[in-house]
Amino acid sequence: MTNITLVEAVNQALAYEMAHDENVVVFGEDIARNGGVFRTTVGLVEKFGPRRVLDTPLAESMIGGIAIGMSAQGLKPVAEFQFMGFIYPAIDHILNQASRMRNRTRGRLSCPIVFRAPYGGGIHAPEHHSESTESIFAHIPGLRVVIPSSPARAYGLLLAAIRNPDPVVFLEPKRIYRWVKQEVLDDGNALPLDKCFVLREGSHITLITWGAMIKETLEAAEELSKKGIHAEIIDVATLKPIDYDTILQSVEKTGRCVIIHEAARHCGVGAEIAATIAEQGIFFLRAPIKRVTGYDTVMPYYKMEKCYLPSTHKITTTAQQLMEYA
Amino acid sequence: MPTHESPSIRLKTIAGFSIQYLQFMDHHGNLTQAIPNDITPETLLKLYRAMTLTRLFDTKAINLQRTGQMGTYPSCHGQEAIGAAIGLMMRKEDVFYPYYRDHATFLLRGTPMSDILTYWGGDERGSAFESQPDNQDFPICVPIADQCLHAAGGAFAFQYRNQKRVAVTTIGEGGTSQGDFYEAINLAGAWQLPVVFVVNNNQWAISTPIHAQTACKAIAQKAIAAGFEGIQVDGNDVIAMIHSMKYALDKAREGKGPTLIEAITYRICDHTTADDAKRYIPPKEFDAAFAFEPLKRLRAYLEKELGWDDTQEQAMLKELNDELQAIVKQFLERPKAAITDMFDYLYETLPEQFISQREELTAWNNIND
Ligand SMILES: Cc1ncc(C[n+]2csc(CCOP(=O)(O)OP(=O)(O)O)c2C)c(N)n1
């Protein structure tokens, strides 16, 4: 057991599953010889060979499309998009084909694919490299959407995603690719794809988030505890389906919640969570539901990205404001 | 289809194709054939100057990135002849749909190079071209191959209005694997659009070499499938580049349809400052490519044919370095953009719903400052 980063955990999960299931094939742009631009696939081609770890030509619609054909033949494609900003040419295949194949053929064919992509801002990247558009995918019926926010969860959730019989969009928060190191046992144990993770228990307020915003949310909880406010933190992790039992139990306990995400507010996944809390837990609430999110504007190029991203201070302040309700 | 096993099967040839290659100047700066009359010493000196400034600009830009004053930057080291030829030969009224390695083209189209630094410095104002209010060129295109379709659309507009204008677009050889590229060339052929596709074939798409990208013998042959002419050009020979650009632009302007120019070059640099080419390019191959780079051979030619000497070279370098210093100064001293810009250019009029978010942004930023 060693301490590894989120990048290394992704690598470890891919290697584990490739070693144990010869149907798993991994492909994308610059993933073999170069090991991926973030190095998530480093060493795989050396271990498993160029028939299973493939550098593709530069074409995302192709990457999405071949995954459909491969998966319907019983392969388990793990398709990498170099950045989430370049997944869109493949949306046709994800939305019109992968997510619908089982339903269209009434179970005769299915598409057990993992579509991987690094996403999110905060690393001073070029234009189109920093967006968080998870809600586009979460809106598509028939898909699962998973976002890990720690090395251990990346390992367990990626294994689960590869083993899952349906298509999974697996988004990796690149801002925290190398944020923390964690001991991750390479035991092949998957995590459930329909469970939230309670990262910190508290009785005063529930902070609900996912992806890289975990970092600021944990910092905010620390700040709040200094002020005597005990925040519970939920890492949603699976954005489709969402584990509402855990969320509602927490809100029942605390009576207050803030939903935090990097993505723009309008039709963000936060809106969906807020709506469900309102529908099923309105009587638990002692204060309005609040969202701390990115703004409804184009993700700014890097000079201004910091002003766009929700800050620790904004989360703390919002939580404190909610505590003022009796 | 081979017929030797079943000689009774007969096939007849209905069409045949070939791809032509153009070079005037080899890598020693020696002419491989006589250069066209319209290429004057002034033209070549202008190109030499622009390519040299581009080289200096690249070095400086990488340095700005390394010292934390700029973000990820794609150098065009060794590929300067392509951008310079495009920039010199296009007319002002033509429209450029660039990718991200076209610094020399911007330079010769009169776009302030400080804008290019502003752009890679993480600031959208770099695409505003504030000093050129009539400029219709597209901003640098990051999602690969989108620009090819935009150029086709622009070219349609010129054709529709009977304007003698040409759309020029650039793309890497890797980018020509994209559906959008194929769709654009197909349409350009079908509609005989006034558009020129210039492919910078620098042999690598990040770590992916051309042979892993395509089984084509030449990228130029992709134009054949689209029903129009594709030519392969020594992209490090600026004379061949300007000649083929002139040919393609004139042809498009006369309503004779599109051309694809495949410029053969080599990426003698990392893909961007975020990349390390040593991970995947064999050092021998990389080092060997320097012998073919475009500036060295042009200088050799100028020395031989026009008596270009060290005094002239030094004088030019001094001027260019001063020019570069002014560019960098302008970039570094540009006042910060207002954070509200992120809302103020989103729509022509910001919808009511988002006005409160604009206020929220300002309020929070004050707190953070
Ligand atoms: C649609 C899309 N996919 C992936 C990328 C990431 N990416 C940036 S440059 C590049 C390689 C481009 O190679 P090539 O087209 O040969 O041009 P070059 O950079 O070598 O000039 C890739 C994969 C992107 N920008 N856009």
Side-chain angles (χ1 to χ4, degrees), chain A:
Chain A
M1 194 145 68
T2 43
N3 282 329
I4 58 173
T5 61
L6 206 159
V7 167
E8 292 161 328
V10 166
N11 186 273
Q12 187 168 297
L14 291 171
Y16 184 94
E17 209 53 12
M18 292 194 84
H20 289 82
D21 181 354
E22 65 179 22
N23 287 320
V24 178
V25 290
V26 175
F27 54 91
E29 294 158 12
D30 306 290
I31 65 123
R33 184 202 287 245
N34 198 27
V37 294
F38 289 100
R39 313 290 177 243
T40 48
T41 51
V42 139
L44 295 181
V45 73
E46 289 80 1
K47 263 184 229 153
F48 302 105
R51 292 307 293 164
R52 296 184 67 196
V53 183
L54 303 109
D55 276 331
T56 64
L58 204 177
E60 286 77 12
S61 175
M62 173 272 292
I63 292 172
I66 60 171
I68 314 265
M70 290 173 171
S71 62
Q73 282 299 315
L75 294 182
K76 292 243 170 182
V78 181
E80 174 177 309
F81 296 88
Q82 202 162 76
F83 288 87
M84 185 197 227
F86 309 129
I87 200 171
Y88 310 115
I91 285 239
D92 177 46
H93 295 292
I94 298 172
L95 190 156
N96 279 330
Q97 305 294 344
S99 67
R100 297 169 65 123
M101 192 63 85
R102 181 185 298 282
N103 181 64
R104 287 176 64 214
T105 62
R106 289 297 184 257
R108 183 171 59 83
L109 299 174
S110 61
C111 293
I113 304 166
V114 181
F115 299 104
R116 289 181 47 234
Y119 88 106
I123 65 156
H124 278 203
E127 276 193 295
H128 307 277
H129 287 67
S130 299
E131 288 70 13
S132 299
T133 56
E134 64 271 22
S135 71
I136 293 179
F137 299 95
H139 194 66
I140 300 175
L143 279 188
R144 286 174 182 268
V145 181
V146 178
I147 299 182
S149 63
S150 77
R153 291 193 289 285
Y155 180 77
L157 290 171
L158 183 52
L159 285 176
I162 303 172
R163 291 171 196 169
N164 191 269
D166 290 305
V168 179
V169 173
F170 192 87
L171 302 172
E172 298 163 14
K174 60 180 176 295
R175 182 156 62 92
I176 57 167
Y177 256 156
R178 295 181 169 82
W179 171 46
V180 285
K181 284 195 170 194
Q182 213 176 25
E183 281 188 12
V184 182
L185 199 60
D186 193 11
D187 56 3
N189 278 339
L191 286 167
L193 285 185
D194 52 3
K195 276 270 170 282
C196 290
F197 296 87
V198 178
L199 302 189
R200 178 179 175 126
E201 291 190 25
S203 53
H204 293 144
I205 188 162
T206 306
L207 307 178
I208 302 166
T209 189
W210 56 89
M213 287 313 302
I214 289 286
K215 180 170 180 285
E216 284 71 20
T217 306
L218 284 167
E219 286 166 8
E222 205 49 45
E223 286 295 308
L224 289 167
S225 76
K226 286 182 202 150
K227 301 186 164 90
I229 301 166
H230 301 297
E232 180 144 308
I233 296 183
I234 295 180
D235 171 14
V236 179
T238 63
L239 274 69
K240 187 169 197 154
I242 293 175
D243 168 17
Y244 282 118
D245 288 348
T246 304
I247 291 175
L248 286 163
Q249 270 167 27
S250 177
V251 175
E252 182 171 19
K253 177 170 71 175
T254 62
R256 298 174 174 88
C257 71
V258 185
I259 304 159
I260 301 123
H261 61 68
E262 213 173 288
R265 193 168 308 162
H266 194 98
C267 291
V269 175
E272 183 58 36
I273 295 173
T276 305
I277 295 172
E279 281 175 348
Q280 298 180 28
I282 193 126
F283 299 116
F284 305 152
L285 292 170
R286 286 191 251 173
I289 303 165
K290 280 280 173 194
R291 284 177 288 166
V292 176
T293 68
Y295 297 104
D296 282 307
T297 188
V298 175
M299 177 70 188
Y301 197 176
Y302 84 77
K303 265 279 158 67
M304 273 195 222
E305 68 179 343
K306 218 172 155 212
C307 310
Y308 171 94
L309 297 171
S311 64
T312 304
H313 186 52
K314 197 169 181 180
I315 302 167
T316 317
T317 311
T318 307
Q320 280 178 285
Q321 283 164 358
L322 292 189
M323 292 311 295
E324 280 160 26
Y325 291 81

Side-chain angles (χ1 to χ4, degrees), chain B residues 132-152:
Chain B
Q132 299 178 298
D134 298 333
N135 189 328
Q136 295 184 354
D137 289 350
F138 263 38
I140 285 166
C141 188
V142 174
I144 288 169
D146 293 11
Q147 73 276 14
C148 300
L149 285 163
H150 308 157

